Amino acid sequence: MATALIILAAGQGTRMNSDLPKVLHPIAGAPMIVHAMASGAALEPERIVVVAGHGADAVERAVQAHDDGAIVVRQDEQLGTAHAVAQARAALDGFTGDVIVLYGDTPFIQPETLAAMAQARAAHDIVVLGFKAADPGRYGRLVMQGDTLDRIVEFKDASAEERAITLCNSGVLAADSATLFDLIDAVGNDNAAGEYYLTDVPELARARGLSATAVTCDEAETLGINTRAELARAEAAFQARARAAALEDGVTMQAPDTVFFARDTYLGRDAMIEPNVVFGPGVTVETGATIRAFSHLEGCHVSRGAIVGPYARLRPGAELSENTRVGNFVEIKNATLGEGAKVNHLSYIGDASVGEATNIGAGTVTCNYDGVFKHHTTIGARAFIGSDTMLIAPVTVGDEAMTASGSVITSNVPDGALALGRARQEIKPGFARRMFDRLKAAKARKQKEAE
């Protein structure tokens, strides 16, 4: 059965006290709506429709940066969740299959849960996702008769008996596309807010003789985010799960609570992660690599046997081959290090390729930016770059070549050659004492004049 997703993301999120649309606030380095899209992607949906409202242009950019095939529609006037779903009708024109309604501010629904909902759809017209709440509070309650969902009752409308129910409504719903939109057409707004609510759909379905049921999940999956405090709790919950999964998969972490993951961080078995490491988006660390303390990685690939840090920064486009070394206070950006290459101290390697077994001395900089354009530096295999070398890109240093410490390299260095690019040292005996004597005398005169 074909599947489509409708993800509701139109709310302003006033309790976030932010100019940023609520669904764009990040968790583990990605907007929370991306988490919702990623969960739904496990169903291989034929279409994804995001309903945007507040900050719609920014939401659309974020959605399509993650999946350029997703369709973003507008809910210019927020008149309730059923009204929001109705805005997706045109985008699903011609689609036949199941629709699952998700929420951009509920990022932790698991793919397995959505798969269970899709499976339940084979036997029921409407499937709602519920959860057993430790503290049901003011959640809507799912009123069940056996395995049949009779209706959803809001807390304020619930009787004392209904309020005692602990099975609560997450808001996530699945139905055949035609059935869903037909029922939404029947939803009214005769309520205190004058809004059209998706929660009316199961009762309308039952009134028409259609079947409805509920699938349950862990309460943690249904966490909705409305405040900065809830955002912080969501981040903490994600990190706790990611750390536990990494340990289970054979990653060693000396101080797991100090390591922070992005949504898509991948760590191979027997990787060693020391304390206070931060992974931004797009990082792969292969089996047996070591990331030492206080390092920051994003958009990079670290191969087997590589050692990174401490205090290293790998930026997007950094590609480290096997058994490379990137040491303290080194930054790598959009650069490839060949097998066994070493950049151990206080260096910047950007827009560059470094050959196998090459050694980059302390304080080396690839000067890649001329104020307008970026330029590439190529360093061959088994080369030796002396400490404090400035490589003025575009420039090439050949295989087994060498640069003298303190050199400024502005032209290509052939294979096996030594390049020196520094001024000749001069010694002037006694000059330093005479200069300091003059300066001290001048300072004494100024102090006397000031008295």
Side-chain angles (χ1 to χ4, degrees), residues 172-235:
V172 176
L173 179 146
D176 171 75
S177 177
T179 301
L180 177 62
F181 288 114
D182 187 42
L183 291 168
I184 281 176
D185 286 340
V187 172
N189 66 341
D190 185 16
N191 52 63
E195 294 188 350
Y196 300 87
Y197 292 131
L198 192 63
T199 50
D200 291 347
V201 165
E203 188 171 1
L204 290 169
R206 295 286 295 123
R208 296 185 181 188
L210 301 175
S211 63
T213 194
V215 167
T216 60
C217 68
D218 190 277
E219 184 176 4
E221 292 187 40
T222 68
L223 176 66
I225 298 167
N226 298 293
T227 67
R228 303 277 185 163
E230 290 173 349
L231 183 68
R233 287 196 290 271
E235 181 73 40

Short mmCIF file of all heavy atoms in Angstrom, two decimals, residues 172-235:
data_model
loop_
_atom_site.label_atom_id
_atom_site.label_comp_id
_atom_site.label_asym_id
_atom_site.label_seq_id
_atom_site.Cartn_x
_atom_site.Cartn_y
_atom_site.Cartn_z
N VAL A 172 -1.24 11.73 16.43
CA VAL A 172 -0.82 11.07 15.19
C VAL A 172 -1.96 10.14 14.73
O VAL A 172 -2.53 9.40 15.53
CB VAL A 172 0.48 10.28 15.41
CG1 VAL A 172 0.87 9.50 14.16
CG2 VAL A 172 1.60 11.24 15.81
N LEU A 173 -2.24 10.19 13.44
CA LEU A 173 -3.40 9.46 12.91
C LEU A 173 -3.07 8.92 11.53
O LEU A 173 -2.35 9.56 10.75
CB LEU A 173 -4.61 10.41 12.86
CG LEU A 173 -5.94 9.89 12.33
CD1 LEU A 173 -7.09 10.56 13.07
CD2 LEU A 173 -6.07 10.17 10.82
N ALA A 174 -3.64 7.74 11.21
CA ALA A 174 -3.47 7.14 9.89
C ALA A 174 -4.83 6.75 9.33
O ALA A 174 -5.70 6.27 10.07
CB ALA A 174 -2.56 5.90 9.97
N ALA A 175 -5.00 6.96 8.04
CA ALA A 175 -6.25 6.60 7.37
C ALA A 175 -6.01 6.58 5.87
O ALA A 175 -5.02 7.14 5.37
CB ALA A 175 -7.35 7.60 7.71
N ASP A 176 -6.92 5.93 5.16
CA ASP A 176 -6.92 6.03 3.70
C ASP A 176 -7.13 7.48 3.31
O ASP A 176 -7.91 8.21 3.93
CB ASP A 176 -8.03 5.15 3.13
CG ASP A 176 -8.22 5.37 1.65
OD1 ASP A 176 -7.39 4.90 0.86
OD2 ASP A 176 -9.20 6.06 1.29
N SER A 177 -6.44 7.92 2.27
CA SER A 177 -6.48 9.33 1.88
C SER A 177 -7.90 9.81 1.61
O SER A 177 -8.33 10.85 2.14
CB SER A 177 -5.60 9.54 0.63
OG SER A 177 -5.68 10.88 0.19
N ALA A 178 -8.64 9.08 0.79
CA ALA A 178 -9.99 9.52 0.45
C ALA A 178 -10.88 9.56 1.69
O ALA A 178 -11.66 10.51 1.89
CB ALA A 178 -10.59 8.59 -0.61
N THR A 179 -10.76 8.54 2.55
CA THR A 179 -11.56 8.51 3.78
C THR A 179 -11.22 9.68 4.69
O THR A 179 -12.12 10.34 5.25
CB THR A 179 -11.32 7.19 4.53
OG1 THR A 179 -11.67 6.09 3.68
CG2 THR A 179 -12.12 7.13 5.81
N LEU A 180 -9.95 9.96 4.83
CA LEU A 180 -9.52 11.04 5.72
C LEU A 180 -10.09 12.38 5.28
O LEU A 180 -10.69 13.11 6.10
CB LEU A 180 -7.99 11.12 5.75
CG LEU A 180 -7.40 12.26 6.58
CD1 LEU A 180 -7.78 12.12 8.04
CD2 LEU A 180 -5.88 12.29 6.42
N PHE A 181 -9.96 12.71 4.02
CA PHE A 181 -10.44 14.02 3.57
C PHE A 181 -11.95 14.10 3.57
O PHE A 181 -12.54 15.16 3.83
CB PHE A 181 -9.86 14.36 2.20
CG PHE A 181 -8.40 14.70 2.25
CD1 PHE A 181 -7.45 13.89 1.65
CD2 PHE A 181 -7.96 15.84 2.92
CE1 PHE A 181 -6.11 14.19 1.71
CE2 PHE A 181 -6.61 16.15 2.99
CZ PHE A 181 -5.68 15.33 2.37
N ASP A 182 -12.61 12.97 3.32
CA ASP A 182 -14.07 12.95 3.41
C ASP A 182 -14.53 13.23 4.84
O ASP A 182 -15.48 14.01 5.07
CB ASP A 182 -14.58 11.58 2.94
CG ASP A 182 -16.09 11.54 2.84
OD1 ASP A 182 -16.69 12.52 2.36
OD2 ASP A 182 -16.69 10.52 3.26
N LEU A 183 -13.85 12.64 5.82
CA LEU A 183 -14.21 12.87 7.22
C LEU A 183 -13.86 14.29 7.65
O LEU A 183 -14.61 14.92 8.42
CB LEU A 183 -13.51 11.86 8.12
CG LEU A 183 -13.99 10.41 8.00
CD1 LEU A 183 -13.04 9.46 8.70
CD2 LEU A 183 -15.41 10.27 8.58
N ILE A 184 -12.74 14.82 7.15
CA ILE A 184 -12.36 16.18 7.52
C ILE A 184 -13.40 17.18 7.02
O ILE A 184 -13.70 18.18 7.69
CB ILE A 184 -10.95 16.50 6.97
CG1 ILE A 184 -9.92 15.86 7.89
CG2 ILE A 184 -10.72 18.01 6.86
CD1 ILE A 184 -8.50 16.00 7.43
N ASP A 185 -14.00 16.89 5.86
CA ASP A 185 -15.06 17.78 5.37
C ASP A 185 -16.24 17.85 6.33
O ASP A 185 -16.99 18.83 6.33
CB ASP A 185 -15.56 17.29 4.00
CG ASP A 185 -14.55 17.58 2.89
OD1 ASP A 185 -13.69 18.47 3.09
OD2 ASP A 185 -14.62 16.92 1.83
N ALA A 186 -16.41 16.81 7.14
CA ALA A 186 -17.53 16.77 8.08
C ALA A 186 -17.19 17.35 9.45
O ALA A 186 -18.07 17.48 10.30
CB ALA A 186 -18.00 15.32 8.25
N VAL A 187 -15.92 17.69 9.69
CA VAL A 187 -15.52 18.24 10.99
C VAL A 187 -16.07 19.65 11.14
O VAL A 187 -15.93 20.49 10.24
CB VAL A 187 -13.98 18.25 11.12
CG1 VAL A 187 -13.57 18.99 12.40
CG2 VAL A 187 -13.45 16.81 11.15
N GLY A 188 -16.69 19.90 12.26
CA GLY A 188 -17.22 21.24 12.53
C GLY A 188 -16.32 22.00 13.49
O GLY A 188 -15.34 21.48 14.00
N ASN A 189 -16.73 23.27 13.73
CA ASN A 189 -15.94 24.11 14.65
C ASN A 189 -16.80 24.64 15.79
O ASN A 189 -16.58 25.75 16.29
CB ASN A 189 -15.28 25.26 13.90
CG ASN A 189 -16.29 26.24 13.33
OD1 ASN A 189 -17.47 25.92 13.17
ND2 ASN A 189 -15.82 27.44 13.00
N ASP A 190 -17.78 23.82 16.19
CA ASP A 190 -18.66 24.23 17.29
C ASP A 190 -17.98 23.94 18.62
O ASP A 190 -18.29 22.98 19.32
CB ASP A 190 -20.00 23.47 17.18
CG ASP A 190 -21.01 23.95 18.23
OD1 ASP A 190 -20.78 25.04 18.80
OD2 ASP A 190 -22.00 23.24 18.47
N ASN A 191 -16.99 24.76 18.94
CA ASN A 191 -16.26 24.62 20.20
C ASN A 191 -15.81 26.00 20.64
O ASN A 191 -15.97 26.99 19.91
CB ASN A 191 -15.07 23.67 20.05
CG ASN A 191 -14.18 24.05 18.87
OD1 ASN A 191 -13.60 25.13 18.85
ND2 ASN A 191 -14.09 23.16 17.88
N ALA A 192 -15.25 26.07 21.82
CA ALA A 192 -14.92 27.37 22.42
C ALA A 192 -13.92 28.15 21.56
O ALA A 192 -13.98 29.38 21.47
CB ALA A 192 -14.36 27.17 23.82
N ALA A 193 -12.99 27.45 20.90
CA ALA A 193 -11.97 28.13 20.10
C ALA A 193 -12.43 28.40 18.68
O ALA A 193 -11.76 29.14 17.95
CB ALA A 193 -10.70 27.29 20.08
N GLY A 194 -13.55 27.80 18.27
CA GLY A 194 -14.02 27.97 16.90
C GLY A 194 -13.07 27.37 15.88
O GLY A 194 -12.96 27.85 14.75
N GLU A 195 -12.40 26.26 16.26
CA GLU A 195 -11.42 25.64 15.38
C GLU A 195 -11.87 24.24 14.96
O GLU A 195 -12.76 23.65 15.58
CB GLU A 195 -10.06 25.57 16.06
CG GLU A 195 -9.44 26.94 16.32
CD GLU A 195 -8.01 26.86 16.83
OE1 GLU A 195 -7.56 25.75 17.16
OE2 GLU A 195 -7.34 27.91 16.88
N TYR A 196 -11.25 23.75 13.90
CA TYR A 196 -11.58 22.43 13.35
C TYR A 196 -10.50 21.44 13.83
O TYR A 196 -9.33 21.57 13.47
CB TYR A 196 -11.60 22.49 11.82
CG TYR A 196 -12.62 23.47 11.29
CD1 TYR A 196 -12.29 24.81 11.11
CD2 TYR A 196 -13.92 23.06 10.96
CE1 TYR A 196 -13.21 25.72 10.62
CE2 TYR A 196 -14.85 23.97 10.46
CZ TYR A 196 -14.48 25.30 10.30
OH TYR A 196 -15.41 26.20 9.81
N TYR A 197 -10.91 20.45 14.61
CA TYR A 197 -9.96 19.57 15.27
C TYR A 197 -9.91 18.19 14.63
O TYR A 197 -10.95 17.56 14.39
CB TYR A 197 -10.33 19.42 16.75
CG TYR A 197 -10.14 20.69 17.55
CD1 TYR A 197 -11.15 21.14 18.39
CD2 TYR A 197 -8.96 21.42 17.47
CE1 TYR A 197 -10.99 22.30 19.13
CE2 TYR A 197 -8.79 22.58 18.22
CZ TYR A 197 -9.80 23.02 19.04
OH TYR A 197 -9.64 24.17 19.77
N LEU A 198 -8.71 17.71 14.41
CA LEU A 198 -8.51 16.36 13.87
C LEU A 198 -9.00 15.29 14.83
O LEU A 198 -9.36 14.19 14.41
CB LEU A 198 -7.02 16.16 13.57
CG LEU A 198 -6.62 14.95 12.73
CD1 LEU A 198 -7.21 15.04 11.33
CD2 LEU A 198 -5.10 14.84 12.65
N THR A 199 -9.05 15.60 16.09
CA THR A 199 -9.50 14.62 17.09
C THR A 199 -10.97 14.24 16.91
O THR A 199 -11.42 13.23 17.47
CB THR A 199 -9.30 15.18 18.52
OG1 THR A 199 -9.85 16.49 18.60
CG2 THR A 199 -7.82 15.24 18.86
N ASP A 200 -11.73 15.02 16.13
CA ASP A 200 -13.14 14.66 15.87
C ASP A 200 -13.27 13.53 14.87
O ASP A 200 -14.34 12.92 14.75
CB ASP A 200 -13.90 15.88 15.33
CG ASP A 200 -14.09 16.97 16.38
OD1 ASP A 200 -13.86 16.69 17.57
OD2 ASP A 200 -14.45 18.10 16.00
N VAL A 201 -12.20 13.23 14.14
CA VAL A 201 -12.29 12.27 13.03
C VAL A 201 -12.69 10.87 13.49
O VAL A 201 -13.58 10.24 12.87
CB VAL A 201 -10.98 12.26 12.23
CG1 VAL A 201 -10.88 11.03 11.32
CG2 VAL A 201 -10.88 13.54 11.40
N PRO A 202 -12.10 10.29 14.55
CA PRO A 202 -12.51 8.92 14.92
C PRO A 202 -13.99 8.80 15.25
O PRO A 202 -14.64 7.82 14.84
CB PRO A 202 -11.63 8.62 16.14
CG PRO A 202 -10.41 9.47 15.94
CD PRO A 202 -10.93 10.73 15.35
N GLU A 203 -14.54 9.75 15.99
CA GLU A 203 -15.96 9.67 16.34
C GLU A 203 -16.83 9.79 15.10
O GLU A 203 -17.84 9.06 14.96
CB GLU A 203 -16.32 10.76 17.35
CG GLU A 203 -17.73 10.60 17.91
CD GLU A 203 -18.00 11.54 19.07
OE1 GLU A 203 -17.11 12.33 19.43
OE2 GLU A 203 -19.12 11.48 19.62
N LEU A 204 -16.44 10.68 14.17
CA LEU A 204 -17.19 10.79 12.91
C LEU A 204 -17.12 9.49 12.13
O LEU A 204 -18.10 9.05 11.52
CB LEU A 204 -16.64 11.94 12.08
CG LEU A 204 -16.91 13.36 12.60
CD1 LEU A 204 -16.08 14.37 11.82
CD2 LEU A 204 -18.40 13.68 12.48
N ALA A 205 -15.95 8.86 12.15
CA ALA A 205 -15.79 7.58 11.45
C ALA A 205 -16.69 6.52 12.06
O ALA A 205 -17.36 5.76 11.32
CB ALA A 205 -14.34 7.14 11.51
N ARG A 206 -16.72 6.43 13.39
CA ARG A 206 -17.55 5.42 14.05
C ARG A 206 -19.03 5.66 13.75
O ARG A 206 -19.80 4.70 13.57
CB ARG A 206 -17.31 5.47 15.57
CG ARG A 206 -15.90 5.09 15.98
CD ARG A 206 -15.63 3.59 15.88
NE ARG A 206 -16.46 2.86 16.83
CZ ARG A 206 -17.31 1.89 16.52
NH1 ARG A 206 -17.44 1.51 15.26
NH2 ARG A 206 -18.01 1.29 17.44
N ALA A 207 -19.44 6.94 13.67
CA ALA A 207 -20.84 7.25 13.37
C ALA A 207 -21.22 6.77 11.97
O ALA A 207 -22.41 6.52 11.70
CB ALA A 207 -21.07 8.76 13.49
N ARG A 208 -20.25 6.64 11.10
CA ARG A 208 -20.52 6.17 9.73
C ARG A 208 -20.32 4.67 9.59
O ARG A 208 -20.33 4.14 8.48
CB ARG A 208 -19.61 6.90 8.75
CG ARG A 208 -19.88 8.40 8.68
CD ARG A 208 -19.05 9.06 7.60
NE ARG A 208 -19.27 10.49 7.54
CZ ARG A 208 -18.78 11.28 6.59
NH1 ARG A 208 -18.03 10.76 5.63
NH2 ARG A 208 -19.01 12.57 6.62
N GLY A 209 -20.07 4.00 10.70
CA GLY A 209 -19.88 2.56 10.66
C GLY A 209 -18.49 2.13 10.28
O GLY A 209 -18.26 0.94 10.00
N LEU A 210 -17.55 3.06 10.28
CA LEU A 210 -16.17 2.72 9.99
C LEU A 210 -15.48 2.25 11.27
O LEU A 210 -15.90 2.59 12.37
CB LEU A 210 -15.44 3.93 9.41
CG LEU A 210 -16.02 4.50 8.11
CD1 LEU A 210 -15.26 5.76 7.72
CD2 LEU A 210 -15.95 3.47 6.99
N SER A 211 -14.42 1.49 11.10
CA SER A 211 -13.72 0.97 12.28
C SER A 211 -12.54 1.87 12.63
O SER A 211 -11.90 2.47 11.77
CB SER A 211 -13.22 -0.44 12.01
OG SER A 211 -12.27 -0.46 10.97
N ALA A 212 -12.26 1.96 13.92
CA ALA A 212 -11.14 2.75 14.41
C ALA A 212 -10.47 1.99 15.54
O ALA A 212 -11.13 1.28 16.31
CB ALA A 212 -11.61 4.12 14.90
N THR A 213 -9.16 2.16 15.65
CA THR A 213 -8.42 1.52 16.73
C THR A 213 -7.25 2.41 17.13
O THR A 213 -7.01 3.44 16.51
CB THR A 213 -7.92 0.12 16.31
OG1 THR A 213 -7.49 -0.60 17.46
CG2 THR A 213 -6.76 0.20 15.32
N ALA A 214 -6.55 1.96 18.15
CA ALA A 214 -5.38 2.71 18.61
C ALA A 214 -4.19 1.76 18.69
O ALA A 214 -4.31 0.60 19.09
CB ALA A 214 -5.64 3.33 19.98
N VAL A 215 -3.05 2.26 18.28
CA VAL A 215 -1.76 1.61 18.47
C VAL A 215 -1.02 2.40 19.54
O VAL A 215 -1.11 3.63 19.57
CB VAL A 215 -0.95 1.60 17.15
CG1 VAL A 215 0.50 1.24 17.39
CG2 VAL A 215 -1.59 0.65 16.15
N THR A 216 -0.33 1.71 20.43
CA THR A 216 0.33 2.41 21.53
C THR A 216 1.85 2.42 21.36
O THR A 216 2.42 1.56 20.70
CB THR A 216 -0.02 1.78 22.88
OG1 THR A 216 0.39 0.41 22.88
CG2 THR A 216 -1.52 1.87 23.16
N CYS A 217 2.46 3.41 21.98
CA CYS A 217 3.92 3.52 21.97
C CYS A 217 4.37 4.03 23.33
O CYS A 217 3.55 4.40 24.18
CB CYS A 217 4.39 4.48 20.87
SG CYS A 217 3.93 6.21 21.16
N ASP A 218 5.66 4.05 23.53
CA ASP A 218 6.21 4.61 24.76
C ASP A 218 5.93 6.10 24.83
O ASP A 218 5.99 6.81 23.83
CB ASP A 218 7.72 4.37 24.80
CG ASP A 218 8.31 4.71 26.16
OD1 ASP A 218 8.60 5.90 26.37
OD2 ASP A 218 8.49 3.81 26.98
N GLU A 219 5.62 6.58 26.02
CA GLU A 219 5.29 7.99 26.18
C GLU A 219 6.40 8.92 25.70
O GLU A 219 6.14 10.01 25.17
CB GLU A 219 4.98 8.29 27.66
CG GLU A 219 4.53 9.71 27.91
CD GLU A 219 4.13 9.96 29.36
OE1 GLU A 219 4.28 9.03 30.19
OE2 GLU A 219 3.69 11.10 29.67
N ALA A 220 7.65 8.49 25.82
CA ALA A 220 8.77 9.33 25.42
C ALA A 220 8.74 9.67 23.94
O ALA A 220 9.22 10.73 23.52
CB ALA A 220 10.08 8.64 25.77
N GLU A 221 8.15 8.78 23.12
CA GLU A 221 8.08 9.04 21.68
C GLU A 221 7.16 10.21 21.36
O GLU A 221 7.32 10.86 20.32
CB GLU A 221 7.59 7.81 20.93
CG GLU A 221 8.54 6.64 20.94
CD GLU A 221 8.06 5.51 20.04
OE1 GLU A 221 7.54 5.82 18.93
OE2 GLU A 221 8.18 4.34 20.44
N THR A 222 6.21 10.47 22.21
CA THR A 222 5.18 11.47 21.92
C THR A 222 5.52 12.84 22.47
O THR A 222 4.68 13.74 22.44
CB THR A 222 3.82 11.01 22.48
OG1 THR A 222 3.87 11.03 23.92
CG2 THR A 222 3.48 9.61 22.02
N LEU A 223 6.73 13.00 22.98
CA LEU A 223 7.12 14.26 23.58
C LEU A 223 6.94 15.41 22.59
O LEU A 223 7.56 15.45 21.54
CB LEU A 223 8.58 14.19 24.03
CG LEU A 223 9.17 15.48 24.61
CD1 LEU A 223 8.49 15.85 25.92
CD2 LEU A 223 10.68 15.31 24.82
N GLY A 224 6.06 16.34 22.93
CA GLY A 224 5.88 17.55 22.13
C GLY A 224 6.67 18.69 22.76
O GLY A 224 6.88 18.74 23.97
N ILE A 225 7.11 19.61 21.93
CA ILE A 225 8.01 20.67 22.39
C ILE A 225 7.35 22.02 22.18
O ILE A 225 7.06 22.42 21.05
CB ILE A 225 9.35 20.58 21.64
CG1 ILE A 225 10.01 19.24 21.94
CG2 ILE A 225 10.27 21.74 22.03
CD1 ILE A 225 11.16 18.90 21.04
N ASN A 226 7.14 22.71 23.28
CA ASN A 226 6.49 24.01 23.24
C ASN A 226 7.27 25.12 23.92
O ASN A 226 6.96 26.29 23.75
CB ASN A 226 5.10 23.91 23.90
CG ASN A 226 4.20 22.95 23.16
OD1 ASN A 226 3.82 23.20 22.02
ND2 ASN A 226 3.88 21.83 23.80
N THR A 227 8.28 24.77 24.71
CA THR A 227 9.06 25.76 25.45
C THR A 227 10.54 25.44 25.35
O THR A 227 10.94 24.35 24.94
CB THR A 227 8.66 25.76 26.94
OG1 THR A 227 9.07 24.51 27.53
CG2 THR A 227 7.17 25.96 27.14
N ARG A 228 11.36 26.42 25.74
CA ARG A 228 12.81 26.18 25.73
C ARG A 228 13.18 25.07 26.73
O ARG A 228 14.10 24.29 26.47
CB ARG A 228 13.56 27.46 26.12
CG ARG A 228 13.26 28.64 25.24
CD ARG A 228 14.09 28.64 23.98
NE ARG A 228 13.87 29.85 23.22
CZ ARG A 228 14.64 30.29 22.26
NH1 ARG A 228 15.72 29.61 21.92
NH2 ARG A 228 14.36 31.40 21.61
N ALA A 229 12.47 25.01 27.84
CA ALA A 229 12.76 23.96 28.82
C ALA A 229 12.46 22.59 28.23
O ALA A 229 13.23 21.64 28.41
CB ALA A 229 11.94 24.18 30.09
N GLU A 230 11.35 22.47 27.49
CA GLU A 230 11.02 21.19 26.85
C GLU A 230 12.03 20.87 25.74
O GLU A 230 12.37 19.70 25.53
CB GLU A 230 9.60 21.25 26.29
CG GLU A 230 8.54 21.25 27.38
CD GLU A 230 7.14 21.48 26.86
OE1 GLU A 230 6.99 21.84 25.67
OE2 GLU A 230 6.19 21.32 27.65
N LEU A 231 12.52 21.90 25.06
CA LEU A 231 13.55 21.69 24.04
C LEU A 231 14.82 21.13 24.67
O LEU A 231 15.44 20.20 24.14
CB LEU A 231 13.84 23.00 23.32
CG LEU A 231 14.86 22.94 22.17
CD1 LEU A 231 14.29 22.14 21.00
CD2 LEU A 231 15.23 24.35 21.71
N ALA A 232 15.20 21.69 25.81
CA ALA A 232 16.39 21.19 26.51
C ALA A 232 16.19 19.75 26.98
O ALA A 232 17.11 18.92 26.88
CB ALA A 232 16.71 22.10 27.70
N ARG A 233 14.99 19.44 27.46
CA ARG A 233 14.72 18.06 27.88
C ARG A 233 14.75 17.11 26.69
O ARG A 233 15.22 15.97 26.79
CB ARG A 233 13.37 17.98 28.61
CG ARG A 233 13.40 18.58 30.01
CD ARG A 233 12.21 18.15 30.83
NE ARG A 233 10.97 18.74 30.35
CZ ARG A 233 10.50 19.93 30.76
NH1 ARG A 233 11.19 20.65 31.65
NH2 ARG A 233 9.36 20.40 30.30
N ALA A 234 14.25 17.57 25.55
CA ALA A 234 14.27 16.75 24.34
C ALA A 234 15.71 16.48 23.90
O ALA A 234 16.05 15.36 23.51
CB ALA A 234 13.49 17.43 23.23
N GLU A 235 16.56 17.51 23.96
CA GLU A 235 17.96 17.33 23.62
C GLU A 235 18.61 16.30 24.55
O GLU A 235 19.33 15.40 24.11
CB GLU A 235 18.70 18.66 23.71
CG GLU A 235 20.18 18.59 23.35
CD GLU A 235 20.43 18.42 21.87
OE1 GLU A 235 19.71 19.05 21.06
OE2 GLU A 235 21.34 17.65 21.51
#
